[in-house]
Amino acid sequence: MKRLILISALFGAFMAASCEKQPVQDTPKVNVLTVDRTVIDNVACQNPAPEEIIITTDATNWIAKASKFITLDKETGPAGATTVTITIESNYKDEATSMPSRTGEIMISGGGLSQKITVNQLGYEAPVSPNLGGITNAEELMRFADAVNLGNDLTRWKDENEQIKLLADIDLTGMTWVPIGNAAIDRDGVLQNEDVKPFTGVFDGCGHKIKGLTYTPDPTTLGKGSALGLFGVLYGATVKNLTVEVGRIYAECPNVILNIGGIAGAAHNGSVISNCTVNIVNDQSMIACKQVETGTTANYIGGIVGAMNASSIEGCVNNCPIKINNTVNSNNGANSYHVGGIFGFGMGTLSAKNCVNNAEIGGMIGEEFWGDSPRLGGLIGSVHNDQVITIENCINNGKVLCTIITTSDKSSRAAGIIAYIGGENSLIKGCVNNADVCFIREDATGAEYKAYVGGFVGQVNKAITIEECENYGALLSDRWFYKEFAEGEGEYPAMGVAFARPNKTASVVKNCKIGGKIGPYSAPDKVVTLDAANFNLYMLGDTFDARKNIVFEGNVFASK
């Protein structure tokens, strides 16, 4: 009897325990995000109709983002079902311009989930039209530029030799310009954006003019290697027999590499520019840039072309002033400003022959000095280290007015022919500087502010040859002399007709005609007029040690 009672008690305890309310385990919430379409296909290229999608979610809210040619009437919404209207831009330029098909996407996310809708839009195939054999007016020039930039067929404008010819003078006054070959490229020749193409063909101006070119891009649209000019990037291309009249090419420069020139921003990969002239529309015309963002990124500016890489230029003339305002980039090397009447910066094996600069480089705009460039030449700014250039039968008639920026402790180089050459075996032959080369600095004190001013070359880093060249311009600098850091060497000049800074090279200067003046910019009474008795004393700047290896042969005094 006692055993039954014990079993009964244990059973009762078990039943009581089993009847107690057990805690309920929480089930994790699983969000839902659905879209009623995963693909929007075969969207019309011209005036496509609006599309709709339905987004359903039990998350607190959803967010949607779309490719740049797709607009959503709602980019966020609450839980539940929401209808979203989609507007897709036309993929159509005009009846003469083919457009490739394109693909975009809409990405919807919410509650930790995401869904993608692919949007496929049709392209436009322009009907076969008569081959114009060239460019006849401003509208066709704009169509041609668009076709180049999009990588479209250029047959409409080609002649029987596959060249693009200008068949009449064209006036772009008042038109919004986009450069032909509006690509971007770095100084090593690497294209920066596959979606926008450089110009790679042959453009023959046939002696015609393009008038009233004005280009002032929005700084926010400028990226690394942007190229500004009638053409943007020439890549294995030829431009010849063309005159461009510039109203103004002006860029406010962010901290990115820019290439700026009257004919082209950049010429790379064996490009050739020949028999081209850059003229002005009026006395306000200029090629100019102003640094508006702090940084140390290079800018390359030239009257004909901004930067060249393994390319050549021949028979070109620049008549358009170049103005530079730079108060924030204190570099003096490759990551600086490089400015020249013909071109600003060079890489690779280069050639410049039979070119003339007639325009002032630097100078004033109103009451403000615009000549802030550590590398500034009447013809060429700089040729980079270990690169080789041949400069033959070129003339500078444009005054060079340079100042170093006040935040820098580095050095300016200014010269009538070229401010800086970094490569060995370069040749300067038969070139003439007729213009004054000036370095202006209100605060002329402080040995750290060097300013090398040369009639032919500002600075050379390796041995080159200067042959049969002539100087008749005045070389004037507020840093005419400054002290060497080595004790006991005293003062030495930062100026010279052949080289301002020969830099311990074994360069050769032979059969040159030397004239002009040399001395301080702000003290005219101390300026020396060169003559047969003294010209040899002023051929070189820099220390004696830097000058002792230079070879002189057959140089004479001459005056005009």
Side-chain angles (χ1 to χ4, degrees), residues 47-116:
N47 301 319
E51 303 280 347
E52 288 187 345
I53 58 173
I54 299 174
I55 300 171
T56 304
T57 183
D58 60 358
T60 303
N61 68 311
W62 55 265
I63 296 173
K65 295 183 180 298
S67 298
K68 62 182 180 180
F69 65 90
I70 302 168
T71 301
L72 311 176
D73 73 333
K74 303 178 186 70
E75 294 185 346
T76 186
T82 306
T83 299
V84 177
T85 300
I86 301 166
T87 303
I88 300 169
E89 294 178 6
S90 289
N91 188 26
Y92 172 84
K93 179 69 176 179
D94 54 50
E95 72 281 357
T97 306
S98 294
M99 303 291 285
S101 60
R102 61 184 176 183
T103 297
E105 65 179 33
I106 305 166
M107 184 63 71
I108 302 110
S109 58
L113 303 173
S114 63
Q115 295 287 341
K116 182 174 77 172

Side-chain angles (χ1 to χ4, degrees), residues 162-417:
E162 295 292 298
Q163 297 187 8
I164 311 297
K165 288 188 174 180
L166 197 60
L167 301 180
D169 290 354
I170 290 176
D171 193 347
L172 296 177
T173 302
M175 293 188 173
T176 301
W177 182 245
V178 175
I180 303 164
N182 190 32
I185 195 166
D186 68 12
R187 70 185 182 210
D188 295 314
V190 178
L191 292 163
Q192 302 296 296
N193 183 354
E194 294 182 357
D195 294 334
V196 183
K197 308 301 181 183
F199 179 62
T200 59
V202 177
F203 187 99
D204 187 350
C206 298
H208 290 293
K209 298 177 182 179
I210 294 177
K211 307 174 185 178
L213 174 65
T214 297
Y215 184 43
T216 304
D218 180 346
T220 64
T221 67
L222 298 175
K224 178 183 178 182
S226 290
L228 288 59
L230 177 70
F231 291 83
V233 176
L234 304 177
Y235 199 80
T238 295
V239 178
K240 59 185 179 180
N241 308 323
L242 176 66
T243 295
V244 175
E245 294 184 357
V246 171
R248 180 171 293 197
I249 299 174
Y250 172 68
E252 292 189 346
C253 304
N255 189 33
V256 295
I257 295 173
L258 294 185
N259 307 282
I260 308 172
I263 298 296
H268 285 244
N269 194 40
S271 291
V272 177
I273 303 175
S274 65
N275 300 320
C276 291
T277 299
V278 174
N279 284 336
I280 60 174
V281 171
N282 54 46
D283 60 5
Q284 301 301 308
S285 296
M286 67 183 71
I287 297 170
C289 70
K290 183 175 185 178
Q291 185 84 18
V292 295
E293 185 176 293
T294 301
T296 56
T297 300
N299 287 292
Y300 311 135
I301 304 101
I304 304 297
V305 59
M308 299 218 305
N309 188 322
S311 295
S312 64
I313 187 166
E314 183 169 3
C316 292
V317 179
N318 176 51
N319 295 310
C320 186
I322 303 174
K323 308 293 184 183
I324 310 300
N325 188 298
N326 165 34
T327 60
V328 292
N329 184 340
S330 61
N331 268 254
N332 75 334
N335 289 328
S336 184
Y337 276 66
H338 302 256
V339 183
I342 302 301
F343 74 86
F345 184 82
M347 293 278 289
T349 301
L350 303 160
S351 173
K353 298 180 179 181
N354 304 311
C355 293
V356 180
N357 174 57
N358 294 315
E360 183 175 271
I361 313 298
M364 305 292 290
I365 296 181
E367 300 296 321
E368 191 173 23
F369 190 86
W370 282 51
D372 307 319
S373 174
R375 307 283 176 90
L376 198 157
L379 294 170
I380 299 165
S382 294
V383 172
H384 196 43
N385 294 339
D386 300 321
Q387 315 299 303
V388 178
I389 187 169
T390 298
I391 311 171
E392 287 192 78
N393 303 320
C394 293
I395 300 171
N396 177 51
N397 297 317
K399 182 179 288 188
V400 179
L401 294 163
C402 179
T403 183
I404 200 166
I405 58 176
T406 57
T407 58
S408 176
D409 63 353
K410 304 295 180 66
S411 307
S412 283
R413 285 90 168 155
I417 305 299

